[in-house]
Amino acid sequence: MREKLVEAKGLYKQYALKSDKLFAKRRYLKAVDGVTFDIYKGEFFGVVGESGCGKSTTAKLILDMEHPTKGTVLFKGRDMSTLKPKEWRAIRLDMQMIFQDPLGALDPYMCVGKQIMEPLEIHNIGDPKDRKQMVLDMLAAVSLKPIFYDRYPHELSGGQRQRIVLARALIVKPQLLVCDEPISALDVSIQAQVVNLFKRIHKELNLTFMFISHDLRIVKHVCDRIIVMYLGRVVEEAESDELFANTLHPYSQALISAVPSLTPDAQAKRIMLHGDPPNPIDLPKGCRFASRCSKCTPRCLESEPELVDMGNGHKVACFLVTGK
Amino acid sequence: MLHVKNLKVDFEVDGRRIRILHGVDLDLEEGETLGLVGESGCGKSVTCSAILRILADNATVTGEVMYDGTDLLKLPASKMEEIRGKDITMIFQDPVVYMNPVKTIGNQITEVIHLHEKCSQAEADKKAIDLLTQVGIPHPETRLKYYPHQLSGGLCQRVMIAMALACKPKLLMADEPTTALDVTVQAQILDLLRSLNKKLGMATILVTHDLGVIAENVKRVMVMYAGVVVEEGPVDIIFKKPAHPYTEGLLNSLPKMDGQEGDLIPIEGSVPAPDKRPAGCCFGPRCKYMTDECLKGQPKLTTINGTHRCACFHPVHGTYGGEA
């Protein structure tokens, strides 16, 4: 049995909306609406879905940057939200994150070497005399030369900046690295460099990744196991190969077929979705994908399907597939 | 229909002249779809903006843009205004930014109609409704009264397309029209552009960084790198047998959807800044096939086979036809 690093249990996150009337019923935006999954140790775990499906909110809940409205997150078996500040800080060190825009995550007035060193100073790790060497080793680990130590963020290219952000996250030796769209802002020819770096780090450090992306090609390439999210819920969960070879949920099928193929004139098999996702404030009754689903039945409009395990860990939330 | 010859664009920044576009040739026939592909900063958007003469004041454009027998670059500004929006139109990546947030979309569409045609407000409204129907917006009568912020990204892009089509243009330039959209919505918009192109017989230039979008939507493609067209030809040939090492590198760096294991093959290094171009071939320092010959100068775009042309001394497929 593999060891669970993260257990998300029935997570809900609602944001209260401003109302313009004093006694009007308060309305809520349901960003995450009942999400349950586990991340195993050493796994490259992928989260895919379109904008507004709750992938980033889920990541924030895992990192305890946001508190769930309902549900719990266990990291190494412990509930982060019940910890005292001192314990929290110690355990939080084991989870690090990187975001889409590296320039926004770096301090423009500090040379990047100092920025990589900062976490060591804050958490008081290592001997102050050794810290510079630790930073230089880290730079080497992300394939950057020592001369980059004294550079400033504006002097670097997008790919180099993302490497710096990665180095800063890795220097405290975390166990979990949450990456929220880490390569979306990079150019195509640079993406491959950074993706290869992620794969190498994953292998070398036995690090657990939670990799959030809307780019299915990349996710398929790097991830071991994937969840597909739609409007705040997980609609399908499976091993990467299984998900792409045997896609069960109609939404996942449409999502995968919408990825432009690299062979000219291959649009024949595309499943075209109509319209846009419904508003997460006033969700319709029943399955939330029903309004765009070509296989929708009367039952789908009545009640919401649960995530059901079809065996071999492939879970799907669709009446048509599960029959339940 | 459109013949661009030796188009060069210089920008004046801090008293220095920096050349962004180094002599681009482009020919387009009526009803044709042409793809322009390349990474950020390669000059694909600048090419379109230079054709439409909508570049900022610090830009100097030289060369020839022959449209229906007249050189657009020599036209007086007032004549150019008649062509812009009527014969040649353009849509952009982020539709919300290019719309007026305090005017209804109905107002914005009819504004275009009034500018180029003499008609009453009622007639213009009727035309606007027809246009919105044409781009597949449900309930066009009520949507006319909406403001841009009330529409989703996909719908805004449809409104932009409606605006661009208002005067039945002969040429539509689409600059990354789907980059800001989700994949399922991207598939819808590209499908719409394809069907409009067929129905209205207008020529289209599709600018994108996504090779997948190119493969599925155009017949002919031009690959740009650092302000130079490095390869040009039919899509099916270029994707199967790329001649330029850069095109080959781009294709190799993308993960394939049909199961491919192992590391991605990235292009090493990054795109040179416009004011720090290498001597010789602009792709030289990143090219794995580079020889001393490549330092002599920028190779010319020469014929490899039929309409397939490439600017490289040592093409991956075929041979260089020009002088060194």
Side-chain angles (χ1 to χ4, degrees):
Chain A
M1 193 61 199
R2 284 186 296 171
E3 194 185 333
K4 285 175 188 169
L5 188 67
V6 178
E7 295 165 67
K9 293 181 176 171
L11 291 182
Y12 288 82
K13 180 68 194 177
Q14 301 184 343
Y15 294 99
L17 296 171
K18 264 195 192 144
S19 67
D20 31 4
K21 289 193 191 98
L22 185 57
F23 294 109
K25 199 180 158 220
R26 233 173 199 234
R27 298 203 304 163
Y28 292 92
L29 185 145
K30 294 169 183 157
V32 174
D33 207 28
V35 165
T36 301
F37 61 85
D38 298 324
I39 304 178
Y40 296 101
K41 216 171 164 174
E43 185 174 49
F44 215 120
F45 183 77
V47 183
V48 295
E50 296 179 280
S51 46
C53 75
K55 356 184 246 300
S56 296
T57 309
T58 308
K60 284 180 189 161
L61 292 173
I62 298 289
L63 293 161
D64 206 34
M65 287 164 79
E66 295 265 6
H67 300 296
T69 315
K70 215 164 86 185
T72 48
V73 178
L74 300 184
F75 181 70
K76 294 202 278 188
R78 301 178 71 180
D79 186 349
M80 293 285 289
S81 60
T82 61
L83 297 178
K84 296 204 178 72
K86 214 175 162 187
E87 286 177 301
W88 188 90
R89 271 191 123 183
I91 203 164
R92 187 60 162 60
L93 205 56
D94 288 337
M95 35 168 98
Q96 292 294 320
M97 72 224 83
I98 56 179
F99 298 104
Q100 176 170 352
D101 177 16
L103 195 55
L106 292 169
D107 183 340
Y109 299 117
M110 201 192 249
C111 73
V112 296
K114 286 261 159 51
Q115 299 197 45
I116 300 174
M117 198 191 283
E118 218 181 3
L120 297 176
E121 287 163 358
I122 290 169
H123 293 285
N124 205 10
I125 300 171
D127 196 304
K129 279 177 286 184
D130 303 337
R131 281 184 191 149
K132 181 154 185 188
Q133 192 53 46
M134 287 168 80
V135 172
L136 292 175
D137 291 346
M138 205 63 237
L139 280 176
V142 295
S143 315
L144 288 177
K145 294 195 188 89
I147 50 161
F148 281 95
Y149 187 93
D150 294 314
R151 298 264 170 97
Y152 286 85
H154 72 268
E155 297 174 287
L156 308 179
S157 70
Q160 288 164 345
R161 284 176 199 144
Q162 199 58 289
R163 284 163 204 262
I164 297 293
V165 175
L166 182 63
R168 189 178 59 181
L170 292 178
I171 198 148
V172 296
K173 300 197 168 56
Q175 296 181 9
L176 174 71
L177 186 66
V178 177
C179 312
D180 192 356
E181 302 270 7
I183 54 160
S184 311
L186 304 177
D187 263 321
V188 192
S189 74
I190 309 296
Q191 282 189 357
Q193 295 174 8
V194 178
V195 166
N196 283 348
L197 180 64
F198 279 138
K199 283 185 79 175
R200 204 190 75 214
I201 300 250
H202 173 242
K203 220 182 278 168
E204 283 176 6
L205 304 179
N206 192 26
L207 199 64
T208 309
F209 272 78
M210 178 173 174
F211 192 86
I212 299 172
S213 179
H214 68 276
D215 188 334
L216 284 144
R217 272 199 217 115
I218 299 286
V219 169
K220 178 177 192 289
H221 182 73
V222 296
C223 293
D224 302 323
R225 212 155 53 85
I226 296 170
I227 55 173
V228 182
M229 290 186 69
Y230 186 74
L231 278 176
R233 274 188 96 104
V234 177
V235 294
E236 190 160 359
E237 172 185 334
E239 300 276 326
S240 175
D241 296 341
E242 166 76 11
L243 180 70
F244 283 91
N246 183 21
T247 319
L248 294 177
H249 197 282
Y251 174 65
S252 319
Q253 287 170 355
L255 193 65
I256 290 171
S257 82
V259 178
S261 105
L262 291 173
T263 28
D265 288 326
Q267 319 142 358
K269 281 183 272 170
R270 175 141 313 147
I271 306 163
M272 197 64 82
L273 287 183
H274 297 284
D276 295 306
N279 191 335
I281 299 165
D282 299 305
L283 279 177
K285 203 175 146 194
C287 174
R288 50 197 72 200
F289 183 58
S291 62
R292 299 173 81 195
C293 183
S294 58
K295 297 168 186 163
C296 174
T297 64
R299 190 182 169 197
C300 304
L301 298 171
E302 283 305 311
S303 54
E304 176 124 53
E306 291 296 321
L307 204 59
V308 177
D309 197 333
M310 305 298 287
N312 65 3
H314 193 153
K315 295 177 191 168
V316 61
C318 177
F319 291 128
L320 296 160
V321 183
T322 60
K324 283 177 193 159
Chain B
M1 167 195 174
L2 182 76
H3 300 283
V4 177
K5 241 191 244 153
N6 204 15
L7 187 69
K8 289 181 182 154
V9 176
D10 295 298
F11 280 94
E12 206 172 301
V13 183
D14 300 334
R16 285 189 307 153
R17 274 173 88 101
I18 298 171
R19 180 150 289 184
I20 300 293
L21 224 53
H22 296 253
V24 166
D25 295 339
L26 185 154
D27 293 294
L28 194 68
E29 279 168 35
E30 260 172 60
E32 199 190 353
T33 52
L34 172 73
L36 263 187
V37 70
E39 295 176 279
S40 44
C42 72
K44 42 192 200 312
S45 299
V46 171
T47 306
C48 292
S49 305
I51 291 172
L52 257 193
R53 283 174 58 187
I54 52 172
L55 286 169
D57 289 342
N58 64 345
T60 324
V61 184
T62 56
E64 218 175 56
V65 179
M66 298 300 284
Y67 171 77
D68 269 354
T70 42
D71 188 349
L72 296 186
L73 297 181
K74 294 207 176 76
L75 278 185
S78 59
K79 281 265 190 275
M80 189 63 213
E81 247 162 55
E82 281 172 25
I83 289 179
R84 198 186 295 137
K86 187 164 189 293
D87 291 331
I88 307 179
T89 55
M90 190 158 169
I91 56 175
F92 302 90
Q93 174 171 347
D94 193 346
V96 188
V97 175
Y98 287 89
M99 282 201 243
N100 189 337
V102 294
K103 269 182 150 184
T104 63
I105 59 165
N107 256 326
Q108 297 187 52
I109 298 175
T110 49
E111 189 182 357
V112 184
I113 300 172
H114 284 309
L115 204 61
H116 293 289
E117 287 169 36
K118 273 212 161 81
C119 63
S120 68
Q121 184 61 39
E123 280 169 334
D125 279 343
K126 201 178 156 289
K127 267 191 183 155
I129 291 172
D130 285 346
L131 285 165
L132 290 184
T133 319
Q134 203 171 22
V135 295
I137 293 184
H139 320 297
E141 296 85 1
T142 47
R143 292 290 163 92
L144 278 185
K145 298 183 192 99
Y146 277 34
Y147 291 90
H149 73 270
Q150 292 170 298
L151 302 173
S152 68
L155 283 178
C156 273
Q157 194 57 282
R158 283 174 196 264
V159 172
M160 269 266 274
I161 295 172
M163 257 185 239
L165 297 181
C167 297
K168 302 203 174 58
K170 298 193 181 72
L171 170 61
L172 173 73
M173 294 195 279
D175 187 359
E176 304 265 9
T178 57
T179 309
L181 306 174
D182 281 319
V183 271
T184 57
V185 182
Q186 163 171 301
Q188 294 171 7
I189 296 290
L190 290 173
D191 193 50
L192 172 70
L193 283 176
R194 263 200 313 272
S195 70
L196 286 173
N197 173 270
K198 226 178 254 166
K199 209 159 67 186
L200 307 176
M202 64 180 174
T204 312
I205 298 180
L206 181 66
V207 177
T208 177
H209 68 279
D210 189 334
L211 286 163
V213 170
I214 290 289
E216 294 195 349
N217 292 285
V218 299
K219 291 270 175 283
R220 197 159 66 88
V221 63
M222 282 167 66
V223 184
M224 292 186 72
Y225 183 80
V228 177
V229 177
V230 292
E231 189 163 3
E232 179 189 352
V235 167
D236 38 347
I237 292 177
I238 287 191
F239 275 70
K240 269 185 216 126
K241 282 186 173 181
H244 199 281
Y246 175 64
T247 319
E248 187 199 43
L250 275 186
L251 287 167
N252 280 343
S253 66
L254 285 174
K256 312 284 179 294
M257 284 301 273
D258 44 9
Q260 161 224 39
E261 286 306 309
D263 281 352
L264 300 175
I265 310 159
I267 306 177
E268 295 303 333
S270 50
V271 184
D275 55 341
K276 288 182 188 132
R277 288 170 65 86
C281 172
C282 59
F283 186 60
R286 300 179 75 188
C287 181
K288 51 183 175 183
Y289 309 112
M290 190 182 135
T291 62
D292 288 344
E293 197 185 357
C294 303
L295 292 167
K296 283 182 194 156
Q298 176 64 38
K300 300 245 166 357
L301 199 61
T302 59
T303 304
I304 297 278
N305 197 350
T307 52
H308 185 190
R309 302 197 300 158
C310 169
C312 177
F313 293 124
H314 315 288
V316 189
H317 290 98
T319 45
Y320 181 64
E323 299 154 29

